[in-house]
Amino acid sequence: MFALKLSGDTELKLLQHSNADELFSLVETNREHLRAWLPWVDKTLSVSDIETFINRSLRQYAGDGSITAGIFDRGSVVGVISLTVRDPGRHEIGYWLDKDHQGSGIMTIACKALIEFAFHHTTAQRIDIRVEPANDRSRAIPERLGFTWESVYREPVLHTNDPGRELVTYVMPKEAWLRSRAT
């Protein structure tokens, strides 16, 4: 089972069915805050929706090694971070955090730990982080960690005439990460 100790009472742990109620409550508390950045928020209307998400995440973990972890602070879920295998050499990190825990450095530490894990324990040769252009807090994390701005990506919306949303793509090649940690 995947778990990483971050610092003090903060850790990343693979989300489990036992986390569904608490995670749904966290989404409810942060619904207005998250809605601006995450299109899934308005489709997450019950604990059952969270259970479906956790089931899918556990299947992905068993299948290709993609990780969806809760960020736990003092035993409580305060956010989610994922490492998704896009192809054997390219992985993508996504994240969100409770509004009351922002600005504490938790997400930067969580991303750094997950990047270290990916480059030392998976086939990742590159990690992408995609964020909304106007989401300054989310953009600050890859910038703080030394990622390079690569492009603007238009995320398609299937089965509608909606052209999708733009996302800024940041990238970190493995060799650049390892080189930056050596200095």
Side-chain angles (χ1 to χ4, degrees):
M1 166 108 47
F2 173 83
L4 287 176
K5 182 83 167 157
L6 299 180
S7 63
D9 293 326
T10 308
E11 61 186 327
L12 305 181
K13 294 189 294 188
L14 200 63
L15 284 171
Q16 300 294 313
H17 298 286
S18 59
N19 305 123
D21 288 329
E22 184 180 11
L23 187 56
F24 179 71
S25 178
L26 189 65
V27 170
E28 280 289 288
T29 300
N30 287 272
R31 189 170 294 281
E32 289 305 313
H33 164 69
L34 295 173
R35 177 176 282 128
W37 314 117
L38 301 169
W40 54 263
V41 170
D42 287 333
K43 296 175 189 139
T44 304
L45 304 174
S46 67
V47 172
S48 176
D49 294 329
I50 295 292
E51 290 169 344
T52 299
F53 166 71
I54 291 172
N55 283 335
R56 184 174 55 248
S57 298
L58 291 171
R59 281 194 308 275
Q60 286 179 308
Y61 181 68
D64 66 12
S66 291
I67 296 166
T68 301
I71 302 168
F72 291 81
D73 187 45
R74 292 181 211 101
S76 296
V77 179
V78 298
V80 174
I81 189 167
S82 62
L83 178 70
T84 304
V85 178
R86 294 296 180 201
D87 64 48
R90 187 172 68 85
H91 294 38
E92 183 176 328
I93 290 179
Y95 45 81
W96 65 269
L97 189 64
D98 171 52
K99 64 182 179 267
D100 293 334
H101 285 81
Q102 291 186 349
S104 65
I106 289 175
M107 192 55 77
T108 300
I109 293 166
C111 285
K112 186 175 181 180
L114 201 52
I115 293 163
E116 284 288 327
F117 176 85
F119 284 147
H120 289 95
H121 301 287
T122 75
T123 61
Q125 295 299 309
R126 153 191 170 140
I127 294 177
D128 295 353
I129 295 178
R130 292 183 175 158
V131 298
E132 292 269 354
N135 192 338
D136 294 333
R137 284 186 180 264
S138 283
R139 288 185 72 169
I141 293 166
E143 291 170 1
R144 190 177 302 122
L145 292 172
F147 278 62
T148 302
W149 179 90
E150 183 181 68
S151 64
V152 174
Y153 168 81
R154 181 165 298 278
E155 183 179 65
V157 177
L158 302 177
H159 310 296
T160 71
N161 291 326
D162 185 342
R165 61 189 184 131
E166 288 186 348
L167 299 170
V168 176
T169 302
Y170 291 91
V171 63
M172 175 61 71
K174 181 177 183 175
E175 62 275 4
W177 180 263
L178 297 177
R179 192 170 45 252
S180 73
R181 296 302 166 246
T183 58

